Amino acid sequence: MEQVIISIGREFGSAGHEIAQKLSEHYGLPMYDHNLLDEIAGKKGLDSQTLREYDEVKRNRLLNRTVRGMDSSPARNLALMQFDFLREKAESGESFVVVGRCSETVLKSYQGLISIFVTGDMDKKVARIMELYHKTQKEAEDFIREKDRRRRQYHNSYCEFKWGDSRNYDLCINSSCLGPEETMHVLIQYIDARRRVQKQK
């Protein structure tokens, strides 16, 4: 099978993670999300729980400095370890699904990359978060805004293009229009078409 790397960026509450899992299962590919911290921790002899505290946290340029290639920011060091992990997987020829981690930018040079950004209507996202996390409407709205704020800050501190900017992805899709299951089927059609075109090159 030709290498395929499916990168999923997503707004919180858009079911992007669920869709990524469904794509992973459909194609029989490993999925990398928070679980890649466990692999990094195992290789580096680090505590994965400690790594989670710095996962997808933006780099504060005012509070850290770089000396002889070493950075004083744990968040930035972890981000770079994750980027290296993804590049190593891609370089080995492995096919996989990856959620977030600036993967649409980090893996842009690999021909098999298909980058997708999943959005959603606010009312649908709020309803989903209310159900999943047992929150009030106000709590869900605040939770979504905070999560997306953190994701945006993290992404934008490492990437030239802004988080969610359609120019940085092969396809952007609103999952609220069809729901997670049908959105996945649309994405499968797109991914399969991309793979056919790639084989013809």
Side-chain angles (χ1 to χ4, degrees):
M1 181 178 79
E2 295 289 332
Q3 184 182 42
V4 58
I5 302 170
I6 304 170
S7 163
I8 304 290
R10 76 285 184 220
E11 292 178 347
F12 189 66
S14 67
H17 192 275
E18 178 184 337
I19 290 167
Q21 286 181 313
K22 290 177 181 294
L23 291 172
S24 169
E25 292 165 6
H26 175 81
Y27 289 107
L29 300 176
M31 187 175 93
Y32 297 118
D33 187 12
H34 297 294
N35 62 327
L36 64 81
L37 297 177
D38 297 326
E39 292 203 36
I40 291 173
K43 287 182 179 179
K44 303 284 187 180
L46 302 170
D47 176 47
S48 61
Q49 195 57 44
T50 301
L51 295 183
R52 279 176 166 76
E53 295 177 16
Y54 299 103
D55 187 30
E56 291 196 303
V57 175
K58 76 165 186 172
R59 176 190 182 191
N60 189 327
R61 298 178 187 275
L62 298 177
L63 299 179
N64 67 275
R65 60 197 181 101
T66 303
V67 179
R68 296 180 182 174
M70 297 298 292
D71 199 287
S72 62
S73 165
R76 183 170 188 271
N77 287 329
L78 177 58
L80 296 179
M81 281 192 282
Q82 292 185 79
F83 300 161
D84 286 343
F85 174 91
L86 292 174
R87 290 190 191 99
E88 287 172 8
K89 291 293 183 181
E91 196 61 34
S92 73
E94 181 179 319
S95 294
F96 55 90
V97 177
V98 54
V99 180
R101 273 101 194 131
C102 302
S103 51
E104 83 296 326
T105 299
V106 171
L107 302 176
K108 203 175 186 87
S109 63
Y110 293 91
Q111 187 178 4
L113 177 70
I114 300 173
S115 58
I116 297 162
F117 192 83
V118 184
T119 67
D121 296 336
M122 190 61 170
D123 60 332
K124 299 287 178 46
K125 293 190 293 184
V126 167
R128 178 178 176 82
I129 296 306
M130 287 174 66
E131 180 180 356
L132 287 175
Y133 294 92
H134 309 292
K135 292 183 178 294
T136 66
Q137 180 176 335
K138 178 65 165 56
E139 289 172 338
E141 290 173 353
D142 291 345
F143 196 28
I144 290 168
R145 290 192 179 97
E146 175 60 19
K147 282 284 193 177
D148 281 350
R149 183 187 68 81
R150 289 171 62 90
R151 287 177 180 174
R152 184 179 299 106
Q153 288 182 336
Y154 167 79
H155 182 280
N156 293 353
S157 66
Y158 294 103
C159 303
E160 179 182 355
F161 279 94
K162 302 302 182 184
W163 179 77
D165 185 335
S166 61
R167 294 171 295 178
N168 201 34
Y169 306 89
D170 297 318
L171 179 67
C172 295
I173 189 165
N174 185 331
S175 62
S176 298
C177 299
L178 299 174
E181 191 71 26
E182 287 303 319
T183 297
M184 178 201 65
H185 290 307
V186 170
L187 292 177
I188 287 171
Q189 291 178 10
Y190 177 78
I191 292 166
D192 288 349
R194 281 286 303 276
R195 294 173 72 189
R196 286 194 297 271
V197 169
Q198 186 177 329
K199 285 182 179 178
Q200 294 168 4
K201 290 183 178 180

